[in-house]
Structures are given as C-alpha cells and as structure tokens.
Amino acid sequence: MVTRISHWIDGAVVPGTSGRTGPVYNPATGLQSGEVDLASAEEVNGAVASAKAAAAEWRSSSLSRRSAVLFAFRELLHDGADELAKILTAEHGKVLADAHGEIARGLENVEFACGVPQLLKGGFSEQASSGVDVYSIRQPLGVVAGITPFNFPAMVPLWMAANAIACGNAFVLKPSEKDPSSSMWLAEAWKKAGLPDGVFSVVHGDKEAVDALLTHPDIAAVSFVGSTPIARYIYETGTAHGKRVQALGGAKNHMVVLPDADVDMAADAAVSAAYGAAGERCMAISVAVAVGDVGGPLVDAIAARLPKLRVGNGADPDSEMGPLITREHRDKVAGYIASGAESGAVVVVDGREADVPSDGFFLGTTLLDQVTPEMEVYRDEIFGPVLCVVRADTYEEALELVNANQYANGVAIFTRDGGAARQFQFDVEVGMVGINVPIPVPVAYYSFGGWKASLFGDTHMYGPEGINFYTRGKVVTSRWPDPATSVIDLGFPRTR
Ligand code: NAD
C-alpha cells in the first residue's frame, strides 16, 4: 500500500495542490511505501502566512507556558520512541537501535530547550550612570525555517525546532522528501503537547519549496543541514535575501590512529563509526589515518571484524547495518569502490561481493587500504559504508593531511598519549574533535558545527549558539524620574 504524505499547516494535515509528488521507498524492500506531496511556492506562502500569525501570539506567551509545552513534548517523544523509531527505519533503512539513538540525541535537545527561562536570561547593570540602569534582553525573530537532510529525519529537525520554538518563534520545516513521515509524527506530537496551531508547520517539497522559503520576506532565518553544494547555495541565496542563515554541509571525517593506540579499541571504534547507519552519518568516519607501523595491525583488525557485521532489514533486531537510502545512491557508492580499485587502492573487503539481501538497496561493507589524497575516494564525500585507510609516516604528516582537507566537520585521534592528544586538539582545524571517541557529536548544552566547507555562516547549531541564532539581542538604557519629584500621592512618605 502506498500512503500519501501531505503537509502540516495550521495544526492540521493539508493535502498538496501543486499536482507534483515524489516517491518514498522502504529501502530494505526496494518497494515504494509512500507518495509525498511537493509544495508549490503558493503552498509555502500559505504555510508562512499561518506561521506569521501564530508567531505574533506565541512570542507573547510566558516562558513558563513555553517550557510547559516543551516538557509535554519531551514526554510524548520519550513515550513514543518505539513508534517513531519504526517510522525512521521503514523510510530511512537504519537499524532500530540506530533509530532509537537518533531519537535519544533529538530528545537531548528538547530537554535543553525545556530550560528556556534560564537560557533567555539577560544581563542587568544597575546604576550604569547616576540613576541609569542598562539591561539586555533577547527576543524571537518571528518565522524561521529549517531545511533538513534525509539521514537524520527526526534528530536534525529537533536540533532546530526545539530551540526555535522555545525562544518564541514559529518554525516551518521543509524535511527531506526521501523520508518525510517522521516530521508528521513530530507535528502531531507538538499539537498534543499544547503548541498552538501554526507554530510548527511542515511543508514537503524540493527545490521549488526551498527557493520559496529562501526568498520569502516573512522568513527571518534559515537553518540548513545537508550536502556542501546545497549548503553553499542556501547560505548565498538566504543571506542575499536579508536572512540570518546557518548552513551545515558535508563531511569527510578522519580518524588518526597513532602507533601507541590500543588497536582493538581503535578497530572497534572504526567499525561502528564507519559502517553504522551504512556510513550515512555526517559524523561517520570515512578515513582512518594510520601513523607509523600501526597500519598493518589496524587494517587486519578492521578486516577481521567486518564479516561478523550483520547486514539486513533494519526492522530485524539482529541487523547491525541496514540498506542505503535509494537504489541510485547505492549504485553511486558501489561506483566509488570500482574507482578506488582503478586508482590503485587495495580493496581489502569489497562490499559489492558481500552476501546481502538482494531486494532493497543493500551494499556490504568496504575497506580500502593504501588510499592516497589525490584519489576520488579520498577527495569526495562517499556517504556510504566505505572506509579508506591512508598511511602516514608521522604525526605531522597525518595532521597536514587532515588540515588540507576541504571538509572539517569531525575528527578523532586514537592514542594513549595525553600530551599528543592535547597537541592534536590544539593543532587540528576541525570543528568537533574526539579523543579516543570516534563520533564526537557534542551534547546538547554545547553546539554542533564544523569548519570550512562543512559550515556556511558563523553560528553552530543547537545549544547556546542555537539560542543566539533564534533570538535578537536588545539593550535597554533606562532612567526613571527621581521618586521625590513624583506628583502621585502614594499615601506614605517617600524615601530615597
Ligand atoms: P541534500 O543536500 O541533498 O538535501 C538536504 C536538503 O536540501 C533536503 O531537504 C533537500 O530537499 C534540499 N535540496 C536538495 N537539493 C536542493 C536544491 N538543488 N535546491 C534546494 N534545496 C535542495 O542532502 P541529503 O542527501 O539529504 O543529506 C546528506 C548530506 O547531508 C551529506 O552531505 C551529509 O554530510 C550532510 N549532513 C551534514 C550534517 C552536518 O551536521 N554537517 C548532518 C547531516 C547530514
């Protein structure tokens, strides 16, 4: 059965009117499971008009009311995790354990936003001048938009929406058209939590809907997560139309393994970080940089683990890695394995030859050794279950390699040497650094963001930077008349 997935505007499901739709698949079966409406510019305008009206009300709601809605939403998300995880697995393909992990990381952001009364506190300077006080407040922007990728269809919208709404904005989400259903689950949960209609809306769509948001005069800010070329486009177009934009792009995350590292620990970390969610994570490790003589033992240890990794339908609790998002993407990733082999990389494990389900968009795990920086498999973001190993003679060579890469989202170092790790943390030009931690996604009370081609704009996402992004600062300088000069009779003597 093919389900129709429509927009969520003004607190209700609204069928699309553009006449354009896109297919949604279950990647584990290869069968179409849904048909998603793709919004026209007029439909986007309708959603923004509803959001604008709702924003005017919502910004005047008390902090305790906003916080109460967030606490209620938190409970619904927590209690509904099984149901939401099934939706994520059915459309994205990730295994249920990963889907639960995604929800847990989204939940953290909702919990952070529950503390909005604390987060929005301003500063106060009494008697900045004689009889003059100065204080700062932060106010919402109005209507803000979020444009999100397929790989975390619940978590990334929550990175944005929880803080945006807590700060008093209305949020319009344009989720990935490849796995749109979880955004509808979130919309219903917001409504059940008591959020007024129009404060959270979902418009499904493609470039047409995105362009309508980027150019709409009533959209004050745009948060984007996706690939680098689109992130650049979003940033340039949104800012050219006067909007505040944070646009997180693609990645090529390295894991530097020093000769003194615990090889088993590093191999376990490499396997989970490179192949978890079939490598479709923006913080996935895609290059292991083996320094000195650790290369041989590391490659052997990773290769030994791969046959044990169970690839299958994510809904099966025994599966550890699911399929890729689409047939085209699976074929593109397989093409990279061929390209690596042709350019001289050693194919230690070939995912194309793996025994994986023939239905659906599966590909086995691939390990490429002796990869060099000019190879396509090194330069491009593959976004699949392919780990490249680059050999480096020294720490300096490894560092130079990482710092020369255009992407700078996450990086990890594996070593037992605290001094070396500390030096690396100082030297490396990457936004998020793990020390013996392969996927250093910051907890919700820090902020998430890469450097260079992994981020356009200067504000990282969620955490304190998220609160700043979704609010404008205002400073008030105030002087009150001397009470002794007041003409109002208070009925008791005035004192100073
Ligand atoms: P994508 O860039 O193809 O799509 C992201 C969003 O942009 C979707 O909503 C899509 O509909 C929209 N879009 C696509 N093409 C567009 C166009 N031409 N004009 C306007 N809008 C367009 O990304 P994806 O394939 O959904 O997600 C995978 C990518 O996201 C990877 O590159 C990954 O590294 C990146 N990502 C980055 C982070 C991060 O935090 N830096 C997190 C998750 C994913």
Side-chain angles (χ1 to χ4, degrees):
M1 195 187 80
V2 172
T3 310
R4 180 161 179 200
I5 303 148
S6 298
H7 313 299
W8 181 274
I9 299 171
D10 227 4
V13 174
V14 175
T17 54
S18 72
R20 291 196 312 122
T21 59
V24 178
Y25 295 95
N26 180 333
T29 61
L31 299 175
Q32 187 178 346
S33 58
E35 189 78 24
V36 62
D37 290 332
L38 303 176
S40 63
E42 291 71 46
E43 289 171 286
V44 171
N45 292 347
V48 175
S50 139
K52 187 181 177 186
E57 283 287 312
W58 182 239
R59 71 165 291 209
S60 58
S61 61
S62 68
L63 292 174
S64 51
R65 173 160 181 229
R66 288 187 224 162
S67 175
V69 169
L70 277 143
F71 270 106
F73 180 73
R74 187 260 170 219
E75 287 305 294
L76 291 163
L77 190 56
H78 177 268
D79 296 347
D82 283 341
E83 194 182 304
L84 181 57
K86 283 188 190 124
I87 296 172
L88 292 170
T89 294
E91 288 187 356
H92 175 282
K94 62 180 68 179
V95 299
L96 281 171
D98 269 331
H100 275 283
E102 159 165 9
I103 295 165
R105 296 312 299 260
L107 196 64
E108 265 185 30
N109 281 272
V110 178
E111 288 166 350
F112 175 79
C114 285
V116 66
Q118 183 69 19
L119 297 166
L120 284 185
K121 271 182 174 173
F124 194 99
S125 302
E126 186 183 44
Q127 199 74 344
S129 180
S130 297
V132 172
D133 302 329
V134 179
Y135 50 97
S136 64
I137 50 183
R138 296 204 71 85
Q139 298 187 327
L141 305 177
V143 185
V144 300
I147 300 161
T148 53
F150 80 82
N151 67 328
F152 285 105
M155 180 188 78
V156 171
L158 291 172
W159 280 2
M160 304 169 178
N163 285 336
I165 289 173
C167 288
N169 301 285
F171 185 81
V172 179
L173 173 65
K174 203 305 284 172
S176 170
E177 63 277 38
K178 292 183 182 132
D179 44 14
S181 292
S182 53
S183 58
M184 300 304 280
W185 191 96
L186 295 176
E188 281 183 29
W190 279 117
K191 187 172 172 103
K192 284 184 207 150
L195 189 71
D197 293 347
V199 179
F200 181 85
S201 328
V202 182
V203 280
H204 298 289
D206 52 13
K207 183 169 165 50
E208 184 172 342
V210 170
D211 286 346
L213 290 169
L214 290 176
T215 54
H216 198 297
D218 290 332
I219 297 282
V222 177
S223 298
F224 172 87
V225 176
S227 60
T228 287
I230 309 299
R232 181 181 285 116
Y233 171 74
I234 300 283
Y235 184 77
E236 289 173 355
T237 313
T239 52
H241 285 83
K243 298 177 198 329
R244 190 180 279 205
V245 181
Q246 51 177 186
L248 277 58
K252 191 85 182 173
N253 306 310
H254 295 67
M255 167 175 166
V256 175
V257 184
L258 295 188
D260 71 329
D262 178 330
V263 171
D264 281 327
M265 181 189 185
D268 284 339
V271 170
S272 73
Y275 305 106
E280 292 175 328
R281 290 178 179 146
C282 59
M283 289 292 274
I285 291 294
S286 54
V287 182
V289 189
V291 178
D293 56 11
V294 80
L298 181 68
V299 169
D300 291 347
I302 296 171
R305 283 161 170 76
L306 295 188
K308 297 176 203 146
L309 200 122
R310 291 186 298 271
V311 180
N313 189 327
D316 175 349
D318 285 339
S319 300
E320 293 171 302
M321 187 181 111
L324 282 90
I325 184 72
T326 57
R327 177 172 285 112
E328 296 70 33
H329 186 55
R330 189 265 315 273
D331 295 346
K332 189 173 169 202
V333 175
Y336 275 113
I337 306 171
S339 153
E342 278 159 28
S343 57
V346 177
V347 185
V348 182
V349 178
D350 190 336
R352 296 168 302 179
E353 291 167 3
D355 181 19
V356 296
S358 53
D359 295 333
F361 314 139
F362 289 94
L363 184 66
T365 55
T366 295
L367 180 61
L368 301 176
D369 193 11
Q370 306 289 353
V371 170
T372 52
E374 67 286 354
M375 291 180 188
E376 194 183 32
V377 285
Y378 178 78
R379 289 197 321 267
D380 292 2
E381 179 185 34
I382 298 175
F383 221 55
V386 177
L387 177 63
C388 297
V389 178
V390 177
R391 308 283 188 119
D393 288 334
T394 60
Y395 164 84
E396 284 74 23
E397 203 185 305
L399 179 71
E400 236 169 73
L401 180 83
V402 175
N403 284 351
N405 199 283
Q406 63 158 325
Y407 296 109
N409 212 38
V411 72
I413 187 163
F414 277 72
T415 177
R416 291 182 165 100
D417 183 334
R422 187 173 183 279
Q423 189 62 43
F424 182 74
Q425 148 206 311
F426 182 80
D427 291 333
V428 77
E429 293 167 10
V430 174
M432 293 170 281
V433 181
I435 296 174
N436 297 314
V437 170
I439 303 196
V441 173
V443 287
Y445 40 97
Y446 284 80
S447 298
F448 180 109
W451 289 9
K452 301 198 276 189
S454 297
L455 174 75
F456 297 84
D458 65 351
T459 312
H460 289 195
M461 207 159 274
Y462 70 72
E465 294 198 38
I467 299 295
N468 277 348
F469 183 77
Y470 292 123
T471 52
R472 291 187 284 196
K474 191 180 261 182
V475 176
V476 180
T477 303
S478 96
R479 183 202 300 279
W480 290 97
D482 186 332
T485 66
S486 176
V487 294
I488 301 169
D489 181 6
L490 293 180
F492 52 84
R494 294 176 182 280
T495 51
R496 282 247 182 115

